[in-house]
Amino acid sequence: MTKPIVAIVGRPNVGKSTIFNRIVGERISIVEDVPGVTRDRIYSPAEWLNHEFNLIDTGGIDIGDEPFLEQIRQQAEIAMDEADVIIFLVNGREGVTAADEQVAKILYRTKKPVVLGVNKIDNPDMQSMIYDFYSLGFGEPFPISGSHGLGLGDLLDEVVRSFPENEEEKIEDDVIRFSLIGRPNVGKSSLTNVFLGEERVIVSDIAGTTRDAIDSDFVHDGQKYKVIDTAGMRKKGKVYESTEKYSVLRALRAIERSDVVLVVLNGEEGIREQDKRIAGYAHDAGRGVIIVVNKWDAVEKDEKTMNRMTEEIRKNFQFLDYAPIVFVSAKTKQRVLAILETVNMVSENHTLRIQSSILNEVIEDAVTRNPAPSDKGRKLRIYYMTQVQVKPPTFVVFVNDPEIMHFSYERFLQNKLREAFGFEGTPIRLITRKRS
Ligand code: GDP
Ligand code: GDP
C-alpha cells in the first residue's frame, strides 16, 4: 500500500514546523521501537480519520547558502516533485506578502492539489482576516491556529479529500518490486543499469499517476522484477539533488512502493550518518532489506577486509540485524546479478505465512522454557498467537492483560520466531492484544 505524501510549503515563520508537529502529534506506533533509528524532523508518518500519509515540512530542508527567495523556491519545487497534496501555509496576521505571492507563482505550475492554510488565526474574532487570501488563487482559505490546534480538522479533511484516487497500482503477484536507495554517488544508477543491461528492458511510464517515476521491468532466471525508480534517479541535475535531506525524501516514495529495498553503501567511503537515516526508513516501512556494499573493486583488500566491514555494518545498523549483506561492484559487474538471488530469498521471507498450529507449538515451547515474568504481582498469560499479515509478517499474540507484557518479553518471543522460521531479510512485527 502506497501512502500519499503531503508537503507543507510557505515562507519562514508562518508556522510550518508548528503545524507539522501538531499533525504528527504523539503518534504511538505499533512498530517496534528500535534504538539507533534516527528520526528526521522533516518527515513523519501521520494519519487523519484512518487515512495514513507521510508528512514533509519543506522548511526543514535547508539548501546551502542560497538566498532567501531561492530557498523558498526550491522548497516549493521539492514539494511539487515529491508530494501528492501540498499545504500552502501563510500567516493570517500579516496579510498577503510579496514572498507569499512568490510561492503562489511557483505553485501555479503544479497540477497537484494545493490546500491553503491561513495560520495564526488564534480566535474566532480574527476570522475576517482570511478573506485577503482568496487573492492568492487557491480557492477557499482554511483558518487555523497551530499554537492552539484550531481548524486543523477542516484543513485535514480537505487534504484527505484531495488524495489521488486509486493511485493504487495494479500489483501483480508474481513480480518482485525492489528499489535502490542510498546517498548520492554510491552507485544506484550504475547498479540499476547492470540489472537492466543484462536483460531485455521494458521501460514503462506508469500511466495515470501524477508521479513522474519511471519503473523498469525485467526477467531474470524466469523471475519477473520491477526496479522502482528512486524518483528521478535517471534525470539528475537539479540544484537541490545533492542536499542530504532531499536524498532522504527521494528514497521515501521508492521505499513505499517496494517489496524489497536495497540499501546501497559506498564500500570505498564507508558508513555515514546519512546512510543510517535512509536505512531507518526502509526498516520503519516494514520492507525487506538487503545491504549492498558497492564499489568493492575500489577497496584495497586482504582476507579480513570483508569481515571488518561486516562488523562495522552490524554495529552501525543494529536495527537491521536481519538484513543480509552483499559485496558487489557495478563497475566490474561482479556479484551484481547474484543480488537477485538474495532478493528472491528476502521476498519469500517477507511474504511467508506460518500455520497457526505450527506457530503455537513454537510459542508454547518458548513460554514453557521461559515463562513471562510477573509484573506488579500479576501474571502474564499467553493464550495463543496468530499471523495476521504478510509484507512484513505480522503476528498478534493474545494475552490476559497487554499492560503487563514487557518489551523485553516481546523481544524474546520475536527472537523465538526468528529462530524457528528464519525470516532473513525481513522485519517482523508483534502486536499484543487482550483476548476478549
Ligand atoms: P516555520 O518557520 O514556518 O516553520 O514557523 P514556526 O513553526 O517555527 O513558527 C514561527 C513562529 O510562529 C513561532 O514563534 C511559533 O510559536 C509561532 N506560531 C506558530 N503557529 C502559530 C499560531 O497559530 N498562532 C500564533 N500566535 N503563533 C504561532
Ligand atoms: P548514484 O548517484 O547512487 O546513482 O551513483 P552513480 O551510479 O551515478 O555512480 C556514481 C559514480 O560512482 C559514477 O562515477 C560511477 O561510475 C561510480 N561507480 C558506480 N559504481 C561503481 C563501482 O562499483 N566501482 C567503482 N569504482 N565506481 C563505481
Side-chain angles (χ1 to χ4, degrees):
M1 286 262 276
T2 310
K3 285 193 237 166
I5 296 178
V6 177
I8 310 177
V9 177
R11 63 189 171 85
N13 275 317
V14 293
K16 293 184 296 301
S17 67
T18 308
I19 298 289
F20 176 87
N21 289 327
R22 273 276 174 198
I23 296 177
V24 169
E26 300 282 310
R27 192 171 170 281
I28 296 161
S29 170
I30 57 162
V31 182
E32 48 182 322
D33 232 340
V34 186
V37 183
T38 341
R39 287 251 164 231
D40 211 314
R41 197 189 62 84
I42 62 159
Y43 149 77
S44 173
E47 61 180 277
W48 176 246
L49 302 178
N50 290 327
H51 292 272
E52 293 188 35
F53 55 96
N54 288 310
L55 188 66
I56 302 171
D57 171 9
T58 61
I61 305 171
D62 92 65
I63 303 162
D65 298 326
E66 302 287 335
F68 168 77
L69 275 178
E70 184 55 22
Q71 296 243 4
I72 311 184
R73 194 182 69 74
Q74 291 186 9
Q75 288 167 359
E77 298 269 358
I78 290 171
M80 287 164 25
D81 279 354
E82 300 301 321
D84 296 294
V85 178
I86 297 164
I87 299 177
F88 176 18
L89 202 64
V90 294
N91 179 346
R93 297 181 173 214
E94 291 181 26
V96 177
T97 67
D100 292 334
E101 278 168 351
Q102 290 282 349
V103 177
K105 220 153 109 193
I106 298 159
L107 294 180
Y108 291 150
R109 296 205 321 262
T110 187
K111 292 192 186 76
K112 298 180 179 174
V114 175
V115 180
L116 179 61
V118 181
N119 192 31
K120 310 202 184 182
I121 305 293
D122 297 340
N123 61 63
D125 303 344
M126 299 168 76
Q127 289 280 347
S128 62
M129 294 167 115
I130 68 170
Y131 296 110
D132 208 16
F133 295 95
Y134 275 99
S135 71
L136 286 173
F138 291 105
E140 193 192 344
F142 288 83
I144 54 179
S145 166
S147 22
H148 295 74
L150 301 171
L152 281 173
D154 290 344
L155 178 89
L156 290 173
D157 282 345
E158 181 63 19
V159 167
V160 164
R161 259 198 302 277
S162 311
F163 282 163
E165 238 169 89
N166 228 351
E167 181 81 1
E168 209 58 40
E169 292 154 42
K170 202 172 80 227
I171 299 203
E172 296 147 88
D173 283 347
D174 55 345
V175 179
I176 302 178
R177 304 150 60 87
F178 71 94
S179 56
L180 297 93
I181 63 169
R183 290 186 281 125
N185 285 318
V186 293
K188 300 180 294 298
S189 312
S190 308
L191 287 167
T192 305
N193 288 336
V194 178
F195 289 131
L196 301 179
E198 304 289 309
E199 308 291 337
R200 199 165 70 91
V201 182
I202 315 144
V203 178
S204 59
D205 279 297
I206 317 162
T209 60
T210 48
R211 314 186 158 172
D212 48 7
I214 300 169
D215 299 337
S216 310
D217 298 316
F218 69 97
V219 179
H220 181 78
D221 266 353
Q223 171 66 51
K224 292 192 225 166
Y225 301 90
K226 191 185 280 289
V227 190
I228 307 287
D229 183 41
T230 309
M233 193 161 78
R234 268 160 282 164
K235 43 159 211 185
K236 301 182 175 188
K238 289 190 177 153
V239 189
Y240 49 77
E241 292 267 312
S242 60
T243 69
E244 155 164 5
K245 282 184 171 158
Y246 185 63
S247 66
V248 172
L249 290 183
R250 214 165 50 163
L252 240 178
R253 163 159 295 160
I255 291 170
E256 285 291 336
R257 299 180 53 233
S258 306
D259 300 311
V260 178
V261 175
L262 312 187
V263 174
V264 184
L265 305 177
N266 182 341
E268 233 184 331
E269 293 180 353
I271 301 159
R272 301 274 167 86
E273 236 1 81
Q274 192 182 352
D275 293 321
K276 291 196 241 176
R277 267 199 286 280
I278 291 176
Y281 289 128
H283 170 81
D284 285 356
R287 302 308 189 251
V289 179
I290 299 167
I291 297 172
V292 176
V293 183
N294 188 36
K295 308 203 186 181
W296 202 238
D297 61 283
V299 175
E300 247 188 81
K301 295 179 276 286
D302 58 33
E303 67 281 359
K304 293 202 181 106
T305 316
M306 203 181 268
N307 280 341
R308 241 181 276 131
M309 185 69 185
T310 302
E311 270 174 38
E312 271 301 290
I313 291 172
R314 290 301 178 213
K315 202 167 78 202
N316 280 282
F317 297 86
Q318 284 179 26
F319 54 99
L320 290 181
D321 56 359
Y322 52 81
I325 305 171
V326 293
F327 295 82
V328 307
S329 163
K331 188 174 173 190
T332 68
K333 300 186 182 170
Q334 217 164 8
R335 303 217 31 92
V336 175
L337 289 179
I339 294 174
L340 296 175
E341 287 159 33
T342 311
V343 168
N344 295 350
M345 179 270 286
V346 169
S347 167
E348 216 166 277
N349 288 334
H350 195 231
T351 50
L352 193 62
R353 274 182 204 279
I354 310 291
Q355 258 178 33
S356 284
S357 54
I358 299 173
L359 196 56
N360 282 296
E361 264 173 45
V362 170
I363 292 306
E364 256 170 54
D365 186 56
V367 172
T368 315
R369 279 162 200 261
N370 179 13
S374 324
D375 187 29
K376 297 168 201 119
R378 285 180 299 169
K379 193 165 165 39
L380 181 72
R381 302 181 67 93
I382 293 183
Y383 297 118
Y384 62 98
M385 188 184 278
T386 182
Q387 183 174 357
V388 292
Q389 213 182 296
V390 294
K391 295 188 174 187
T394 303
F395 304 88
V396 171
V397 57
F398 289 93
V399 301
N400 57 335
D401 183 358
E403 299 252 304
I404 51 177
M405 168 66 105
H406 197 265
F407 176 73
S408 61
Y409 202 70
E410 270 183 355
R411 257 279 131 132
F412 163 75
L413 293 178
Q414 283 198 7
N415 290 339
K416 285 292 162 195
L417 291 177
R418 280 201 188 274
E419 262 171 41
F421 309 111
F423 290 122
E424 188 178 1
T426 178
I428 57 176
R429 289 174 180 172
L430 187 64
I431 302 168
T432 306
R433 285 278 147 77
K434 189 180 171 65
R435 191 186 68 173
S436 49

